[in-house]
Amino acid sequence: MKKLWDSPVPFLAYGVPYAYLGFWGHGETGGALANFLSIIGVITLMKWAYHKNSLKALFLGNALSLLVSCACLSVFGTEKWGGTFEPAAAFQMLCAAALLALAVQLVWWRVKRRTQKRS
């Protein structure tokens, strides 16, 4: 059985708080660059997990990123964000974004598997 984390690089990359960084960039600067970089990071790690053929890595990595995002939210706060994400609280938006990202990754995974079986 192969080790899930052959290298510490993917583990450390999943430790990046992608959801928090996206919201931070939007809340602090009003720009979309942080959102774009967060999406690129999530896509890269999704492809790594697919290449490793490990749904376990996909779920654990996303859970780790969500936990780190929640920790960043509690440590750094959202005072400068104002009412950017009203009516939902920042924590609710963070969890919703992480779950949406996971759902998109799982749909992509399934579509990719089906297209591979057909060819």
Side-chain angles (χ1 to χ4, degrees):
M1 183 172 173
K2 289 192 290 185
K3 286 176 60 176
L4 180 60
W5 308 105
D6 301 3
S7 156
V9 174
F11 181 73
L12 293 173
Y14 264 122
V16 173
Y18 294 106
Y20 176 79
L21 290 177
F23 284 116
W24 173 84
H26 186 75
E28 295 276 331
T29 65
L33 179 62
N35 293 357
F36 179 72
L37 294 175
S38 294
I39 290 169
I40 296 297
V42 168
I43 289 171
T44 302
L45 291 170
M46 173 186 65
K47 288 187 173 193
W48 170 82
Y50 183 81
H51 176 71
K52 288 291 186 183
N53 195 23
S54 177
L55 271 174
K56 186 177 182 182
L58 187 75
F59 280 107
L60 290 176
N62 277 282
L64 176 64
S65 182
L66 177 60
L67 287 173
V68 174
S69 290
C70 290
C72 287
L73 188 65
S74 67
V75 170
F76 299 117
T78 61
E79 292 83 29
K80 293 183 182 177
W81 298 3
T84 305
F85 305 112
E86 294 294 330
F91 179 74
Q92 292 169 327
M93 290 296 290
L94 193 77
C95 290
L99 289 174
L100 180 63
L102 180 60
V104 168
Q105 292 173 59
L106 291 173
V107 167
W108 180 85
W109 187 290
R110 186 174 177 119
V111 168
K112 187 84 169 160
R113 286 281 178 226
R114 282 191 175 182
T115 56
Q116 275 188 344
K117 286 180 181 179
R118 290 183 185 160
S119 49

